[in-house]
Structures are given as C-alpha cells and as structure tokens.
Amino acid sequence: MALRVVSALKLGLRGPGSGLLRSGTFFLSATQHRLEKMPSSIGFPVTSRRPFSNHRILVDMDQTLGVATMKLKNPPVNSLSLELLTEFVINLEKLEIDKSCRGVILTSGASPAGGCLMALASDYRIMANNPKYTIGLNETQLGIVAPFWFKDTLVNTIGNRAAEHALQQGLLFSPDDALKIGLVDQIVPEDKVQSTALSMMSEWLKIPDHARQLTKTMIRGPTAHRLLKQREADIQNFVSFISKDSIQKSLHMYLKSLKKQKE
Amino acid sequence: MALRVVSALKLGLRGPGSGLLRSGTFFLSATQHRLEKMPSSIGFPVTSRRPFSNHRILVDMDQTLGVATMKLKNPPVNSLSLELLTEFVINLEKLEIDKSCRGVILTSGASPAGGCLMALASDYRIMANNPKYTIGLNETQLGIVAPFWFKDTLVNTIGNRAAEHALQQGLLFSPDDALKIGLVDQIVPEDKVQSTALSMMSEWLKIPDHARQLTKTMIRGPTAHRLLKQREADIQNFVSFISKDSIQKSLHMYLKSLKKQKE
Amino acid sequence: MALRVVSALKLGLRGPGSGLLRSGTFFLSATQHRLEKMPSSIGFPVTSRRPFSNHRILVDMDQTLGVATMKLKNPPVNSLSLELLTEFVINLEKLEIDKSCRGVILTSGASPAGGCLMALASDYRIMANNPKYTIGLNETQLGIVAPFWFKDTLVNTIGNRAAEHALQQGLLFSPDDALKIGLVDQIVPEDKVQSTALSMMSEWLKIPDHARQLTKTMIRGPTAHRLLKQREADIQNFVSFISKDSIQKSLHMYLKSLKKQKE
C-alpha cells in the first residue's frame, strides 16, 4: 500500500441532487488503512470499532476518534471498475450521514490516472518512500486525454505549469519527484504511512469542523461546481472519444506494450 | 517589530466611489518604520521630514525620497480596531493625494489574520528572522472563516494548494516556513529589517511610476474588483455568521485557551 | 545562442480565421537550432533534410524525425521587427500544414520582452548556463507595460506572485534564477543546448500526437481565446498608449541609458 490520503469528512451539507460530487460530499476524501496491521499501540480500543465490509471495500469506523478508514480490495491492481466505484460512493455516503464520523483515511496502492484523482480530491497526501510506487495522470501515454476536472484538480494542487508538463507527457512520478512538485505532501517509510496518516488527521481534527468545512467549500467549491455544470456534456464527450476506432487502436497498442514489458 | 512590507504608492488613479479598496488605493500597501530608531546613516535629512501624528498611527513622510512610513501604535498587540483601521485609511488617503509620495513602508509586529492581510496587500514582504514572530491566516483556529478576499489574496501569493492547506488548518508560519512557501519575500536579522526595506524600496522606485502602476493594476485589479462587487454581501454574510450563538461560543473557547496558555 | 525552446507542433486543428494565435497554431512553439553546428553524430541523415531559407529565418525540416528547426537571423539582436515576425508566422503556418512535421525547435539569443514571450509560448524551455544570457519581461524598465496576454502566459508559467514581482520590476533573470522560479525548465552547458533539445523532443514525441494536442488545447485554450477575443481592443489600447508624448519620452530616456552603458 503506497499511498494514504487524509481528509476530514465534511458533514451536514447534504442537499438535493446529492451524489459523490455534490456540495456535501465532493470535498471529502478518504484514507484507508490496513486494518489487519493497525497497531494497537495507536490506541484504538478495538471494542469501539464498528467495521462493515463489502465485496471490494473494507470500511472501519472508529467511534472514539470519529475516523473511518477505507481499504480498496479489488485485486490485482484495484482497477476502478464500475462495481468498485459504486461501492466507493455508497460507503462515502454512509459515512457522510454518520454524525460520528469526522474524518476518512483511504489507502490505495499504485496511483495512476483515477487513483491519482482520488488522492488529489483528498485534503492531504502521504506516500510510501519506495520508488516502486508512482503517482500521476498518465492518460496521454494511453492515447487518451484526462478530463477537464482531472486537469482542474491537478492544476489546483501543483500549479499550472507543472500540471501542463505532467499532463502532456503523461508523467508518473516517483515519491521523491511527487514531493518535489507538491503532488504529495509527505513521503515516509512504508511502515510509517499509517501512523503518519493518523497523527496528521488528529492535527486537522483540532480545528472546529464547521470552520474547516466552510473554508474547504470556499476553496474547492468553484472547481466542483464547474464539473457538476458540465458533467453530462463531459460524459458524452468522453464516450464519443473513447469509441473511435483510432482511440481503441491506441489503447490496444498501449496494453500490448504493457504486456511486452512483463515478458 | 517583526515585519515590514514595502509598496510603491499608486497615485493619480482616484475616481468616484473611492475608499480603501477602490481602484486607486486598494493596490497600495505600506511599510512603516520606527522613526525613533531610523539611523541617520541612511541619509534622510531630518529637515526634509514632515511627520504627522495620530492617536494610533505615526506617519513620517520623507520629502527627499518620496517615501512615507507608517507605524501602527495600538498597544498591546496592534489590534485592528475600528478606530485604528479608520485612522489607517485616512492616512493612506492623505498619502495618495500627496503627489510627493511614491512609496509607503508599513511596520507591524505579529501578523495573524488581518495583520497578514495587510502584508499580502503589499508589494513586498520582509520579515525579521526571529522565530517568535509568526504570520498567517489563522481564522479556523478561532472557529471562524477567512473572507473570500483574504483567500483570494493568499492564493495569489502562495498558490492554491499551499493556501488551501494553510487556511484549513489556520496555520501560523515561522519566518523560515513563511519564506519557504513564499508568504514573505525575504527574512533578515531583526536590526536589518528597516534598512532592507529602504534599499528594496529604492530598487522598486527606479521603475517609472506609470508603468509600474499600470502593471500592478493589470495583475491585482481583478481580485480587487471581485471584492468591491461583493462587498456588501460579504459584510452581511460575516455579520450573520459571527452573531450565531455557536460561533460566539467557539470564539469564547478560543479566547479562553489563549488565556490558559499565558497562565 | 542562449535559449532553445522545444515544442511539439500541433497539427490538424486548422480552422477558419487562422493566424498565428488561432486555435491550431497558437499552441505551438519552436526550437531553432544552429544548422551550421549541428553535429552529424546526432544522426540526422543529411539527405533527409529539406531546408528552406528566408531572408531572416532559416528553417530546417528533418523528414526522418519529423522535427523542424527554426533559426532567427536578424542581426545584431534578432529585433522582432514586422518583417521578422511576418516571416516567422509564414514559416509556422507552412510547418503546420506539413503533415510530416511533428515538432519544432526554436533558437533565440537573448530573450527580453517579445523573445521571452516566444519562449513562454513553447512547451519546454532550455537555457544555456551562461550568466551573460538573460530572460524576462522587462517592459516596465522601458516605461511601458507588458500586454495582458504576456502577463497571462507568464502567470501560467511561474505563478501569480513571481509574475507580479517580475513584471512590476521588469526583471531579467540569469539562467540560475530563471530555473529557480520555473521560467525555464532546464539549464545546460552552452554546447549541450541543442542535443538536450533533441533528446527532450524525442521524449515528447513518444506520446501519441492526438492525445498530447488535445491535452495542450485543454490547458492553453482559455488563455489563447482570451487574447483572440480582446485582440483588437488590445492593439488600439497599445497604439494609443505608445503614442503618448510622455511614453515616447520615457522610451527615449531608456534608449539613452542603454547607449550610456555601452560608452
């Protein structure tokens, strides 16, 4: 597990037309930790836990801290299939209406493309300092184009120039390089990722929830609303693009090259 | 006195509907220096000075250099009370219509919240390299939210991601950290703050005023106009927010925690 | 030759109302290399070259790589005269309709003002590590103001704060400082500029053209469209500004000061 993203969950802003990216949920993000390895020394009284499991996602809600943890389990590479994403959204919605939940920790392994977006949608990113892990929006390498809301979120995080360069070349960054350009906030030894996430989360939770949530909405709101406004057009646009023979051919060639690398 | 902010005063753009944040004045900022300590070696002929004093602000206008200096004196912590801010605006307006004034230097001690905004509104920020001084928009720590125009100005200065992180956690930065994220432009030993401000100001004043002013308007204008357009709504919004029982309670708890720290 | 800027040429997006800054060409930029010094070891089969020369610009199109190179030759300082810019646009248009051309390399010497804009309009900037070369938008030093689309492009590259500072003071940056603020992407020894440009170009050309071009349009489109929309007003604005007696006097004084420096 290479990456943990920390976010304090934003509650109480549910409105009509809710969905993953509506005003109340869009701003949250999640850090998922490995329940099986969570050291008891961190002080989670086991009795306070209330885990609920799904097919592809394991959620652990710690009632004492008010922090939920989500672990994606979609072997072999946590592909963001429709099934996985559906479960992901359902779990986030559950946590949002759970008033005892103040923060979510999400763990993901490698973080290309959609995995990187999940990290970008979070409030804080911690990456294992192991060069085998990479993070980035590598869409152009596949012959496709990152949607505008991936781009917006990347620009918001690392600035326009770094985003432009990264997106055009479809760069995947090592932990060191990701830290350098601000794509992650911290790199730590792999066995310290989880404890760092918890300690950072406790810092964020010192801030009164309402003040932090309103501040987050002020900053992330415009980007979220831009997506919501153009959501249907963006979907149509993507479907028509990805269905083209030339694009399918390009994707086929990319997959073939991946296979060749393995051989 | 921890921080000096340097700005060349923008003259000649006064229009109808003037005010601190109108097109002509918004862009200016001030550096205030300690008159009592200003070394004669800097070469201000004392005879050329024309100081005018107020209750809470001391202004010193050097006719030779065309640089005014403003010192806030509102013990014990330069609280930005209505009285202080009113005097501040009056003094800036006076300097703006004074054709002999080309630049203003403003000195402030600690720079949380509104003090940080004054620095951000300036063209250049110099901070004493003493860890006892901090700077930042720490509103969330008080349970309140920085207004959108504080946020805009911070984003313009340190970028979106650093601003998001700083605002959500209400971070106050040490001189080293402030320099690292670009919240200040220079850190210097405390006894060099004033001379550095003067020498930097003389660099800026080498540029023809009209070219510099038009350039400044081009860059800062959109942010200023956004505030002007939403000024009344923002005031109403803030008043209704701050009057809530829950927010008053949150502020009360913060003040109590400050008191506790002192004991 | 101090600076080489690398850009993959964007083809196939020609539309009505074409021009240097139209949707199809605006996004491209060029790296020009010194044909006379291009080492054969780089592997351009001479027979594959198809150079076409102009009065002030030399273009070399390598059919094997699909990379064109443009060299501005307008002694003594590559002044961006109407004649030079006209040839420049014609050459870019020729390359754009040439389907065998996938990238352009442009070489320029010193890069103040308009020369800096050419670099900013490119995808990648490589600068010779020789302090005699400088780059920047120094308009205020001449008593004039960089147009808004210079400013937009600079902000996109180095961020709002660094752009504000650079534009107000009209700063020209040394290679080290230019790299530090992100105004160039790489600095290399002067004799490695050309080979670095070629090797970087080959990295960019590994990405399928259509994906890279659409990504570039997504990021640079809004800035280009803003210019196109306000083009006529900007021209009128500049002409009326530059015709003023006071501005002419300011320019005259600047030229005089340059002359004095030489004596």
Side-chain angles (χ1 to χ4, degrees), chain A residues 122-125 155-158 182 185 200 203-204 207-208 210-212 214-216 218-220, chain B residues 139-148 151 160-161 163-165 167-170 241 246-247 250:
Chain A
S122 301
D123 290 321
Y124 200 83
R125 287 160 286 282
V155 168
N156 287 347
T157 307
I158 64 172
D185 296 298
M200 188 54 64
E203 285 302 311
W204 285 64
I207 301 298
H210 67 275
R212 192 182 37 68
L214 288 169
T215 300
K216 186 172 180 177
M218 178 171 64
I219 299 176
R220 299 220 168 186
Chain B
E139 277 79 355
T140 57
Q141 291 203 14
L142 287 66
I144 60 174
V145 178
F148 77 87
K151 182 265 293 172
N160 187 81
R161 170 56 189 160
E164 174 183 57
H165 188 179
L167 284 171
Q168 281 208 51
Q169 283 202 270
F241 177 78
S246 57
I247 304 306
S250 185

Side-chain angles (χ1 to χ4, degrees), chain B residues 40-256:
Chain B
S40 56
S41 66
I42 289 176
F44 287 93
V46 174
T47 51
S48 80
R49 286 190 203 155
R50 193 195 51 181
F52 52 96
S53 131
N54 301 77
H55 295 294
R56 293 169 192 84
I57 292 179
L58 189 60
V59 179
D60 178 58
M61 175 65 201
D62 185 282
Q63 299 292 337
T64 308
L65 284 181
V67 174
T69 56
M70 293 179 73
K71 183 184 183 181
L72 276 62
K73 301 180 70 171
N74 203 20
V77 294
N78 273 334
S79 294
L80 300 177
S81 64
L82 182 59
E83 289 76 17
L84 184 77
L85 289 173
T86 304
E87 280 188 27
F88 185 69
V89 173
I90 290 171
N91 278 302
L92 283 181
E93 300 238 337
K94 273 187 196 167
L95 292 172
E96 196 188 6
I97 57 176
D98 179 348
K99 290 191 178 174
S100 67
C101 176
R102 297 181 64 208
V104 181
I105 297 177
L106 170 68
T107 303
S108 152
S111 301
C116 178
L117 181 77
M118 278 192 185
L120 292 170
S122 301
D123 290 319
Y124 199 83
R125 286 161 287 282
I126 301 162
M127 192 171 185
N129 193 0
N130 183 333
K132 76 175 172 175
Y133 297 120
T134 58
I135 183 169
L137 296 175
N138 59 330
E139 277 79 355
T140 57
Q141 291 203 14
L142 287 66
I144 60 174
V145 178
F148 77 87
W149 44 287
F150 279 51
K151 182 265 293 172
D152 286 349
T153 314
L154 186 65
V155 168
N156 287 348
T157 307
I158 64 172
N160 187 81
R161 170 56 189 160
E164 174 183 57
H165 188 179
L167 284 171
Q168 281 208 51
Q169 283 202 270
L171 299 174
L172 287 173
F173 294 91
S174 68
D176 279 341
D177 289 342
L179 182 67
K180 209 170 164 186
I181 64 164
L183 188 49
V184 300
D185 296 298
Q186 261 187 290
I187 53 176
V188 297
E190 197 156 358
D191 61 354
K192 293 279 187 287
V193 172
Q194 183 57 29
S195 56
T196 307
L198 285 164
S199 112
M200 189 53 65
M201 177 68 86
S202 73
E203 285 302 310
W204 284 64
L205 294 183
K206 283 180 188 168
I207 301 297
D209 286 350
H210 67 275
R212 190 182 39 67
Q213 289 160 4
L214 288 169
T215 300
K216 187 172 180 175
T217 304
M218 178 171 63
I219 298 175
R220 299 220 168 185
T223 302
H225 289 307
R226 196 167 165 239
L227 164 56
L228 286 176
K229 216 176 143 188
Q230 303 180 47
R231 193 179 180 171
E232 280 312 308
D234 183 64
I235 292 171
Q236 294 306 323
N237 189 38
F238 182 75
V239 169
S240 103
F241 177 78
I242 207 78
S243 311
K244 284 183 188 166
D245 282 351
S246 57
I247 304 306
Q248 285 293 320
K249 197 180 149 191
S250 185
L251 281 170
H252 185 72
M253 280 170 62
Y254 179 73
L255 293 175
K256 222 168 142 182

